[in-house]
Amino acid sequence: MKWTKFNQTIRSLAPYRQKQLFELLFNNLLDKWDQATNIPAVLKKELNENCPIETVGTLQKSSDKQSFKALITLEDNEKIETVLMQSRKGRNTVCLSSQVGCTMNCAYCATGGMGFKRNLTELEMAEQLLFWKKFLKEKNKHVDNVVFMGMGEPFANYDNFIKAVEIINDKKYFNIGARKISVSTCGIIDGIKKLSREPKQINLAISLHASNDKLRSEIMPINKEASIKKILLAVDNYIEKTNRKVMFEYLLLSGINDEDEHAEELILLMDKPLYVINLVTYNPTGKFKRSSKFQTTKFRNILETAGLNVTQRHSFGSDIDAACGQLAGK
Ligand code: SF4
């Protein structure tokens, strides 16, 4: 969508009329402004001319038919990727990007390798969800969960991210419950603090991926300013205010962070009732190797035997580069 033109066109309209247009877009899922029955003909004409309803996207489907990736071209021709994951139980989770590229440069991530272009606006984030909502509607299905885990670091674009959450949660627009929305950060302390003060109780995940600072700094440069200790302090503060569980994502990299000693170190860090460790299968982006099944199971057993809360994420769509860490706007 040409959101700049759209914003210019609606700028002089009364607030109720502006809300009505968003409702037509995000709830009624109009394909053309002409389909609207409750707005004046002159406004329809203006909208048709300036900002027709269209998302320029190409679709790819994974061989297991469980995930889809869309490459969306923005109004300035920049490209972003968004992913739909369908669980075997039929739940649909949409993964949104928050930036074109990323400044964080995590070693395991394809997005980090493409550099940073710009932040996405809240409407560009909402448009990704709109794309999937329309896609699923044709199959009589709907979106169950939304995760901000695509391209970019959401907390580096906090204001637009939280405005997108408002749109997604708004009963008149997408109407997706706050508890069905999750955000993942590589460790932006300020963002964790801000989120703890938000009235909306969305889920927080931290990309941890290492059991000590030396290792984490090697694979995640952000750790030089946001050490594990600082992150955990901010997380504990978040838990104190919200009483909500926090998910720690741990990508298992063969020979790097998946040895028994790393599991032992993790036990010391993660032994808190509302901490959950999510072991994630690595999807090759060139630099590292995925942990073997044997070592993954062993690692998990060590954590579970120590009484930690552990889950393991099924990896979706690695054959279409739609899996975690593989999005690069290709
Ligand atoms: S993992 Fe996330 S924060 Fe790190 S470079 Fe990739 S997109 Fe950025």
Side-chain angles (χ1 to χ4, degrees):
M1 279 278 291
K2 293 189 171 83
W3 292 114
T4 310
K5 289 263 188 185
F6 177 78
N7 284 329
Q8 283 164 0
T9 309
I10 70 166
R11 202 164 37 199
S12 57
L13 300 177
Y16 89 90
R17 183 66 86 194
Q18 295 187 5
K19 284 189 184 148
Q20 194 180 29
L21 295 179
F22 285 119
E23 201 173 334
L24 288 167
L25 276 175
F26 297 146
N27 190 319
N28 299 24
L29 307 183
L30 287 199
D31 288 319
K32 290 189 169 61
W33 292 115
D34 289 332
Q35 294 166 336
T37 53
N38 52 357
I39 56 173
V42 59
L43 177 57
K44 275 194 226 179
K45 186 168 175 284
E46 220 182 324
L47 287 165
N48 270 335
E49 280 168 12
N50 293 343
C51 42
I53 301 174
E54 57 164 3
T55 297
V56 184
T58 49
L59 198 65
Q60 268 183 290
K61 190 191 216 173
S62 69
S63 53
D64 61 10
K65 299 192 181 76
Q66 277 189 276
S67 55
F68 298 82
K69 180 171 81 168
L71 180 73
I72 291 180
T73 305
L74 304 172
E75 59 184 322
D76 59 357
N77 270 332
E78 293 294 355
K79 293 187 173 30
I80 50 160
E81 293 179 329
T82 173
V83 176
L84 167 69
M85 295 159 283
Q86 303 186 297
S87 75
R88 291 200 168 88
K89 288 182 185 156
R91 299 190 72 74
N92 296 301
T93 299
V94 165
C95 178
L96 303 182
S97 291
S98 55
Q99 298 180 307
V100 186
C102 187
T103 58
M104 298 298 155
N105 220 4
C106 303
Y108 52 84
C109 173
T111 309
M114 67 179 274
F116 174 72
K117 302 272 176 57
R118 68 171 176 86
N119 284 331
L120 295 185
T121 66
E122 66 275 21
L123 292 175
E124 287 170 330
M125 291 183 234
E127 185 179 0
Q128 299 167 55
L129 180 55
L130 180 63
F131 180 90
W132 294 119
K133 197 170 165 179
K134 285 184 171 176
F135 175 82
L136 288 169
K137 190 184 158 209
E138 284 174 19
K139 302 171 177 10
N140 271 329
K141 291 181 178 167
H142 60 272
V143 176
D144 296 292
N145 302 298
V146 174
V147 297
F148 285 85
M149 297 185 185
M151 295 165 70
E153 163 55 57
F155 286 173
N157 184 16
Y158 191 92
D159 292 349
N160 291 349
F161 148 74
I162 209 72
K163 282 187 215 157
V165 169
E166 296 283 344
I167 295 171
I168 292 166
N169 181 240
D170 194 312
K171 287 203 163 38
K172 292 204 155 169
Y173 303 154
F174 289 102
N175 191 22
I176 292 180
R179 284 160 193 253
K180 307 229 162 135
I181 304 171
S182 304
V183 59
S184 177
T185 178
C186 63
I188 308 276
I189 306 281
D190 198 44
I192 301 171
K193 284 185 187 161
K194 282 183 186 161
L195 192 70
S196 71
R197 295 193 289 264
E198 296 291 345
K200 293 200 188 304
Q201 300 247 307
I202 69 169
N203 305 304
L204 172 65
I206 307 286
S207 297
L208 186 66
H209 307 324
S211 55
N212 62 63
D213 279 321
K214 184 173 176 293
L215 181 54
R216 194 164 189 270
S217 296
E218 279 166 23
I219 56 175
M220 300 179 75
I222 179 78
N223 197 68
K224 287 172 195 139
E225 44 186 285
S227 65
I228 295 177
K229 193 174 168 193
K230 283 188 189 166
I231 292 173
L232 297 187
L233 210 66
V235 167
D236 287 344
N237 199 277
Y238 168 90
I239 290 176
E240 210 179 292
K241 289 205 170 106
T242 61
N243 199 31
R244 294 182 65 71
K245 280 185 185 168
V246 172
M247 180 82 85
F248 290 88
E249 309 282 349
Y250 197 94
L251 196 58
L252 285 161
L253 306 170
S254 178
I256 304 285
N257 66 357
D258 68 342
E259 312 278 350
D260 298 3
E261 69 198 60
H262 299 122
E264 299 293 345
E265 281 180 330
L266 261 191
I267 291 168
L268 299 177
L269 294 175
M270 295 282 107
D271 194 9
K272 298 221 173 133
L274 292 181
Y275 283 15
V276 181
I277 301 175
N278 187 27
L279 299 177
V280 186
T281 309
Y282 174 61
N283 298 296
T285 52
K287 280 191 185 158
F288 302 104
K289 274 199 206 140
R290 172 183 293 188
S291 294
S292 65
K293 277 199 177 141
F294 173 80
Q295 191 55 32
T296 302
T297 308
K298 197 171 172 212
F299 198 88
R300 180 175 182 160
N301 284 344
I302 296 173
L303 300 180
E304 282 181 334
T305 306
L308 267 54
N309 304 314
V310 186
T311 61
Q312 204 167 336
R313 194 202 293 164
H314 172 71
S315 180
F316 290 93
S318 55
D319 61 323
I320 52 168
D321 287 352
C324 203
Q326 289 185 316
L327 302 184
K330 280 189 280 186

